[in-house]
Amino acid sequence: MDRCQLIERSIIKKYRKTIWNPFIGALKNYRMIAPGDKIAVCISGGKDSMLLAKCLQELQRHGSEVPFELEYIVMDPGYRPENRQRIVDNAALLSLPIHLFDSPIFSVVEKQGKPSCYLCARMRRGYLYKQAHDLGCNKIALGHHFDDVIETTLMSMLYGGEMRTMMPKLHSTNFAGMELIRPLYLVRERDIQAWARYNDISFLRCACTVTDCDSEDGGSKRAEVKTLLAHLRRVNPQIDHNIFHSAESVNLETVLGYRKGEHAISFLDEYDHQ
């Protein structure tokens, strides 16, 4: 077997329990793929999106119970030449036939006067949806993993003042008929890191030219939450599972209030009628 085949085999064999099975589990549990889907796999160049692309490619080739198509799209928001080339080289190594297109996102964000990860993320999403739409896709797949879900849930409580989580799939509000899916929803980041190390592949970390960060999180609130979770795991190894399960088991009888669309519901609305 050549190197690409060995990398593919590692997903199915060595990391079957920690990567492949959770990947398949998320697809089935949340009904992410339907017959006839054409999915745009969004590749940033990092370990998560590259693994996602390989998992979906393997599923399409060998293990899918339903027919679906894949397009592999890579947006260059203004990467340095060496970072862009690393994506191209890794895609070739992994036998991923990518569609590479340019966007002015980094230059637009830089002109705002101060770094804005929120603006960058929104613009990225818009360009990716547009490219996927132009390719005839009805879904886009992003590489968010289990740790992203846990961190987002905790961040919403600590910094957003609300209880919300990162959903496994979403309907687009701007592109009719387009849906976002997250097939690595149940895969742990540590297992993705282990897969990358085992196969000796160097993926992009933070390639932002605006913040010039030296890590994936660049000192953000998410980095603070990562540090907090690392401490909590030492005290309680089940902390990630408990946070995740809490978003699945909300007891509406013991919360002060919740929202459904534009409607806010308070526990007082029914309190005197009990």
Side-chain angles (χ1 to χ4, degrees), residues 24-177:
I24 296 297
L27 292 179
K28 291 183 176 179
N29 290 351
Y30 303 112
R31 299 194 293 271
M32 293 189 188
I33 299 180
D37 278 346
K38 188 172 184 180
I39 304 168
V41 187
C42 302
I43 299 174
S44 66
K47 65 187 188 312
D48 309 327
S49 60
M50 284 287 191
L51 174 61
L52 169 64
K54 288 306 297 180
C55 285
L56 285 170
Q57 187 183 61
E58 282 298 292
L59 178 65
Q60 184 192 39
R61 287 174 174 174
H62 308 297
S64 178
E65 299 174 356
V66 298
F68 66 93
E69 298 180 57
L70 294 173
E71 298 284 357
Y72 306 92
I73 62 176
V74 178
M75 178 183 63
D76 183 347
Y79 291 140
R80 295 186 179 92
E82 61 270 24
N83 289 328
R84 179 184 176 115
Q85 188 59 47
R86 184 184 296 186
I87 296 175
V88 172
D89 292 343
N90 281 338
L93 169 65
L94 297 173
S95 296
L96 296 171
I98 59 174
H99 296 276
L100 179 59
F101 70 100
D102 298 317
S103 75
I105 292 178
F106 283 174
S107 62
V108 170
V109 173
E110 193 169 12
K111 290 176 182 177
Q112 300 302 308
K114 63 178 181 178
S116 174
C117 295
Y118 174 75
L119 174 61
C120 183
R122 282 185 61 87
M123 292 180 66
R124 281 173 178 263
R125 190 71 57 83
Y127 276 99
L128 290 172
Y129 270 121
K130 176 64 166 57
Q131 182 72 9
H133 180 268
D134 291 347
L135 289 171
C137 299
N138 66 309
K139 292 182 179 177
I140 68 170
L142 300 184
H144 296 116
H145 48 64
F146 183 83
D147 295 62
D148 290 323
V149 179
I150 301 306
E151 293 160 13
T152 298
T153 303
L154 199 54
M155 285 174 65
S156 73
M157 298 173 64
L158 299 180
Y159 300 112
E162 62 179 346
M163 174 61 189
R164 63 185 301 169
T165 191
M166 177 182 284
M167 300 298 288
K169 62 180 184 179
L170 293 168
H171 290 293
S172 171
T173 55
N174 297 317
F175 290 83

Side-chain angles (χ1 to χ4, degrees), residues 226-240:
K226 280 181 178 288
T227 301
L228 174 61
L229 282 169
H231 169 73
L232 293 174
R233 289 184 191 113
R234 290 193 290 270
V235 178
N236 178 8
Q238 295 298 313
I239 197 70
D240 298 85

